[in-house]
Amino acid sequence: MLKNHVKVFNLAAVALVVVLIALQFVPFWSYEKTEKVDGVETTYETTASIAEYVWLPFNCRELTKDFGETLDIAKPKVNDFITEAALVLALGVTSVIMILIFKNEWMILFSLVVGVFGDLQFLTQKVMQMGSMWYIHLAVSVVLTAVSVLSLVLTIKKKFAKK
C-alpha cells in the first residue's frame, strides 16, 4: 500500500518540477528598454522571463541596471542575480530524469533539493521578489518541498515496515 503512495507522490513531484521549470519561461519581470534605430532612440516597456535572463542576459542589460539601482549595487553583474535560478533549472531537469528513468523512491531527494532551492530563492532574493508572479513560483516550490518530504517520510516508513 505504501509503495503506491510513494509512486503517486513521486509522480506529483515530477509534475510540480515540470511546472516550476515551465514557469521559468513565462514573462516574469517588466522593464523599460531603450533602442537606437536609424539614429532615433526609442524607449518601450518589455518583459523578460527568468530563463531569458539566465540564458540571454545580454538581451536584458537594462534589467540588470534596474536591479542594480533598486538594490543599490554600483556595478551590477548578471551573476549576482542568477545563481539560484540556474540551479533550480539544472536540478529540476536532473530531478525529472532521475525519478522517471531510475524509478527508485530515493530519487525524490533530487526534487526535495529543487524545492528547497526554490523556496530559498524566492524568500531571500529581492530580485526574485521584484518579479510579477514570484508568489506563484514560491507556492509551487513550497508544495514541491512538502510533497517531496511526504514521499521521503513514506519511503522511510516503508523501509522500516519491512523489518
Side-chain angles (χ1 to χ4, degrees):
M1 181 83 169
L2 283 177
K3 186 171 181 156
N4 291 336
H5 285 79
V6 170
K7 282 183 183 180
V8 168
F9 283 117
N10 285 4
L11 289 177
V14 166
L16 288 165
V17 170
V18 169
V19 168
L20 202 57
I21 291 169
L23 283 172
Q24 289 201 351
F25 292 88
V26 174
F28 190 69
W29 293 289
S30 295
Y31 65 101
E32 286 188 355
K33 189 170 187 169
T34 304
E35 288 185 352
K36 200 171 193 177
V37 180
D38 297 330
V40 178
E41 211 172 81
T42 307
T43 302
Y44 57 94
E45 188 79 18
T46 190
T47 60
S49 67
I50 296 171
E52 179 182 6
Y53 192 67
V54 169
W55 293 350
L56 305 168
F58 50 85
N59 285 348
C60 307
R61 287 188 179 109
E62 290 89 350
L63 184 57
T64 303
K65 288 178 190 171
D66 285 353
F67 291 160
E69 290 172 9
T70 303
L71 301 173
D72 200 25
I73 299 172
K75 291 185 179 181
K77 297 180 189 106
V78 173
N79 290 341
D80 296 336
F81 311 121
I82 66 164
T83 306
E84 287 87 358
L87 278 172
V88 167
L89 186 62
L91 290 172
V93 171
T94 303
S95 170
V96 169
I97 291 169
M98 297 301 270
I99 291 172
L100 292 179
I101 290 180
F102 292 108
K103 294 181 175 69
N104 182 324
E105 59 265 6
W106 294 105
M107 294 297 131
I108 197 69
L109 289 169
F110 284 97
S111 64
L112 178 61
V113 171
V114 173
V116 169
F117 266 107
D119 296 345
L120 292 174
Q121 167 181 296
F122 289 101
L123 288 173
T124 62
Q125 285 216 343
K126 297 290 184 209
V127 167
M128 291 303 178
Q129 294 172 5
M130 292 168 61
S132 59
M133 299 186 320
W134 72 274
Y135 48 89
I136 294 173
H137 291 253
L138 176 61
V140 173
S141 288
V142 168
V143 172
L144 174 61
T145 302
V147 166
S148 299
V149 166
L150 192 54
S151 179
L152 197 57
V153 167
L154 289 174
T155 299
I156 292 168
K157 191 174 181 180
K158 183 178 85 171
K159 293 294 179 190
F160 282 117
K162 285 184 179 179
K163 293 182 178 182

